[in-house]
């Protein structure tokens, strides 16, 4: 199976709940390596740029408001089948529909405040990783 990279964000709600370590453990236990990481309080422009594909969606303003409401932890993860593996760990977008034992089922409160972000495909992963990390700040092992 291919070694992939994906971009993960622990959103402001999960940072506020003090569950960064618990979420990191799930990545590590699933065989995903953290190859870059930073804590950042996104500016409105940064959040809008990151979610530009959703610009026309009705929830866009609320999503941006939420993403700038507090600091986030952003990381690049690497491992076999990392994109899908990470999406499986996250669970469905709406925590009410997320499978038991997933990050969103366990830590998220609503579809807006849903604890985590994960890239959905190889192309988006590449763009999203480079949005936060220059190549020299990625430490693949
Ligand atoms: N979102 C929302 N309301 C919706 C759909 C999405 O607030 O009805 C937010 C939610 O935070 C989600 C993000 O927009 O994580 C991006 O949506 P997407 O469909 O890409 O879901 P994801 O890939 O994060 O599961």
């Amino acid at each position: 199976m291919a070694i992939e990279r994906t971009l993960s964000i622990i959103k402001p709600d999960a940072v506020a709940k003090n569950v960064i370590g618990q979420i990191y453990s799930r990545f590590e236990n699933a065989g995903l390596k953290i190859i870059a990481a930073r804590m950042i309080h996104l500016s409105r422009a940064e959040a809008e740029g990151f979610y530009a594909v959703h610009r026309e969606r009705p929830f866009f303003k609320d999503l941006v408001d939420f993403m700038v409401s507090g600091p986030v932890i952003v990381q690049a993860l690497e491992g076999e089948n990392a994109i899908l593996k990470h999406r499986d760990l996250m669970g469905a977008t709406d925590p009410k529909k997320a499978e038991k034992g997933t990050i969103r089922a366990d830590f998220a409160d609503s579809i807006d405040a849903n604890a985590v972000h994960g890239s959905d495909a190889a192309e988006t992963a590449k763009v999203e990783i480079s949005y936060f990390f220059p190549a020299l700040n990625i430490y693949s092992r």
Side-chain angles (χ1 to χ4, degrees), residues 11 51 54 57 59 62-63 66 87 90-94 104 111-114 116-118 120:
K11 295 183 178 182
Y51 279 119
H54 294 308
R57 309 280 286 276
F59 57 81
D62 288 345
L63 174 60
F66 168 64
R87 298 279 304 181
M90 287 165 50
T93 308
D94 182 352
R104 282 169 167 164
I111 193 166
D112 321 84
N114 64 357
V116 279
H117 166 85
D120 60 3

Side-chain angles (χ1 to χ4, degrees), residues 3-113:
I3 299 290
E4 293 177 336
R5 292 177 178 181
T6 191
L7 194 274
S8 157
I9 302 178
I10 300 178
K11 295 183 178 182
D13 57 324
V15 172
K17 283 184 182 167
N18 204 27
V19 292
I20 297 164
Q22 292 186 59
I23 293 174
Y24 268 26
S25 292
R26 292 179 185 214
F27 297 157
E28 292 175 348
N29 292 338
L32 295 173
K33 288 180 178 167
I34 296 154
I35 58 168
R38 60 192 282 227
M39 184 177 246
I40 176 173
H41 195 146
L42 294 170
S43 68
R44 183 157 282 275
E46 285 168 333
E48 286 174 351
F50 182 74
Y51 279 119
V53 291
H54 294 308
R55 201 179 292 279
E56 303 304 325
R57 309 280 286 276
F59 57 81
F60 182 70
K61 185 181 176 296
D62 288 345
L63 174 60
V64 171
D65 286 346
F66 168 64
M67 290 302 288
V68 305
S69 67
V72 298
I73 300 262
V74 187
Q75 47 280 324
L77 306 176
E78 185 176 75
E80 275 186 12
N81 209 15
I83 296 166
L84 191 60
K85 197 177 266 183
H86 180 230
R87 298 279 304 181
D88 286 348
L89 291 175
M90 287 165 50
T93 308
D94 182 352
K96 288 200 271 315
K97 296 183 183 148
E99 243 178 85
K100 229 175 144 230
T102 60
I103 294 168
R104 282 169 167 164
D106 290 348
F107 300 125
D109 294 325
S110 67
I111 193 166
D112 321 84

